[in-house]
């Protein structure tokens, strides 16, 4: 998982460097896009999650050691937002986005003294937040972003290692938390811009109940500490772009 995500971050870094080069190349005859206004966008990316969990019996006596469960996969995203330039080189904005995610991994645990495992999958996520950025040249924005986020994970059905008998399950759950990230956006042509962004999301600590598959009776708790990482490339359409040539003051 870490190797796959490291490769995605490397690809993002290369793309950012290329985007910065394009922006610098335009500086000799810079585009003067109007960054203030509404935009929509869509893109793709890659994400991973790390679920640090510990098992507790009732009434909260630790019965299982701490372990990490993780997964990764591709994502698709859609965004709508509004930006406003408050000074010649300073931009602030708000946005909302939604991710369709395919990140999944194996969750192994112990139940009644036996090892069992199941597939843990992130289904989707959404976020609302803001960003503040600096225009390094008229067509290139470097920014920081932060806000509120929620993520939904599907049901985990634990089976024996032969994958035959269903033993326990954890129902689908929705987590809420905060995110922070950084990115670069550069103008490509009239009304179009490319955004490259890394985002870290922290969903804090949550208790999940593990149920017996046959009787639906609660068996024990999993104390879960969940974080996600994502790298994304988004193509956005600016409704108030109206670019022209000139120098940035």
């Amino acid at each position: 998982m870490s190797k796959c995500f490291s490769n995605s971050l490397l690809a993002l870094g290369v793309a950012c460097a290329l985007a910065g080069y394009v922006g610098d190349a335009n500086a000799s005859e810079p585009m003067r896009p109007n960054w203030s206004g509404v935009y929509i966008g869509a893109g793709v990316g890659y994400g991973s999650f790390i679920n640090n969990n510990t098992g507790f019996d009732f009434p909260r006596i630790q019965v299982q050691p701490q372990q990490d469960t993780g997964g990764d996969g591709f994502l698709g995203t859609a965004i709508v937002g509004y930006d406003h330039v408050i000074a010649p080189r300073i931009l602030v904005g708000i946005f909302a986005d939604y991710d369709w995610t395919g990140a999944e991994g194996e969750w192994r645990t112990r139940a009644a003294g036996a090892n069992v495992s199941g597939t843990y999958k992130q289904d989707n996520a959404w976020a609302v937040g803001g960003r503040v950025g600096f225009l390094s040249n008229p067509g290139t924005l470097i920014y920081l972003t932060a806000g509120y986020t929620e993520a939904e994970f599907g049901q985990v059905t634990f089976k024996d290692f032969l994958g035959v008998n269903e033993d326990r399950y954890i129902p689908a759950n929705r987590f809420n938390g905060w995110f922070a990230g950084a990115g670069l956006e550069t103008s490509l042509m009239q009304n179009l811009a490319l955004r490259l962004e890394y985002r870290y999301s922290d969903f804090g600590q949550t208790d999940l109940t593990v149920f017996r598959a046959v009787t639906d009776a609660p068996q024990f708790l999993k104390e879960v500490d969940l974080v996600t990482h994502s790298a994304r490339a988004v193509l956005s359409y600016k409704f108030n772009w109206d670019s022209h040539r000139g120098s940035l003051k």
Side-chain angles (χ1 to χ4, degrees):
M1 177 191 68
S2 59
K3 182 178 179 180
C4 291
F5 192 71
S6 297
N7 289 340
S8 68
L9 287 181
L10 177 61
L12 178 64
V14 172
C16 286
L18 291 174
Y21 174 79
V22 171
D24 291 340
N26 289 341
S28 59
E29 190 182 357
M31 296 282 288
R32 290 287 316 271
N34 179 6
W35 287 86
S36 295
V38 176
Y39 63 89
I40 59 173
V44 295
Y46 201 85
S48 69
F49 63 85
I50 301 172
N51 166 359
N52 182 271
N53 61 88
T54 307
F56 291 87
D57 203 348
F58 302 105
R60 208 169 190 86
I61 300 172
Q62 184 173 341
V63 293
Q64 295 172 348
Q66 187 179 79
Q67 64 173 350
D68 285 338
T69 295
D72 54 10
F74 290 96
L75 63 88
T77 187
I79 187 171
V80 59
Y82 173 80
D83 290 328
H84 187 72
V85 177
I86 60 174
R89 289 182 178 268
I90 305 300
L91 175 147
V92 295
I94 56 174
F95 66 89
D97 61 25
Y98 185 91
D99 295 341
W100 295 267
T101 62
E104 65 176 51
E106 184 184 25
W107 188 335
R108 295 190 177 190
T109 189
R110 292 186 65 82
N115 291 323
V116 296
S117 68
T119 299
Y120 196 41
K121 183 178 183 300
Q122 183 181 358
D123 293 328
N124 57 68
W126 64 268
V128 291
R131 66 175 180 168
V132 57
F134 172 76
L135 288 162
S136 60
N137 64 56
T140 303
L141 176 74
I142 302 169
Y143 65 90
L144 300 175
T145 182
Y148 173 86
T149 184
E150 289 190 4
E152 184 173 6
F153 284 74
Q155 176 172 307
V156 186
T157 301
F158 295 105
K159 298 182 179 181
D160 59 37
F161 282 164
L162 296 177
V164 177
N165 300 312
E166 295 185 1
D167 188 277
R168 305 289 198 277
Y169 72 91
I170 299 175
N173 282 273
R174 180 166 289 276
F175 300 85
N176 59 77
W178 58 270
F179 75 87
L184 180 146
E185 187 169 357
T186 188
S187 60
L188 299 178
M189 60 184 68
Q190 184 77 15
N191 296 99
L192 291 179
L194 178 64
R195 174 185 299 202
L196 304 165
E197 181 179 303
Y198 163 78
R199 187 179 296 182
Y200 168 86
S201 301
D202 192 323
F203 298 92
Q205 208 169 74
T206 304
D207 285 345
L208 303 182
T209 303
V210 181
F211 295 88
R212 185 178 292 277
V214 177
T215 63
D216 292 329
Q219 295 300 293
F220 53 89
L221 294 175
K222 279 288 191 179
E223 184 183 82
V224 171
D225 193 349
L226 177 69
V227 299
T228 66
H229 303 265
S230 64
R232 62 193 64 209
V234 178
L235 187 66
S236 59
Y237 180 86
K238 310 284 188 176
F239 287 97
N240 192 33
W241 199 245
D242 297 333
S243 55
H244 60 276
R245 299 290 177 181
S247 59
L248 181 67
K249 296 181 179 180

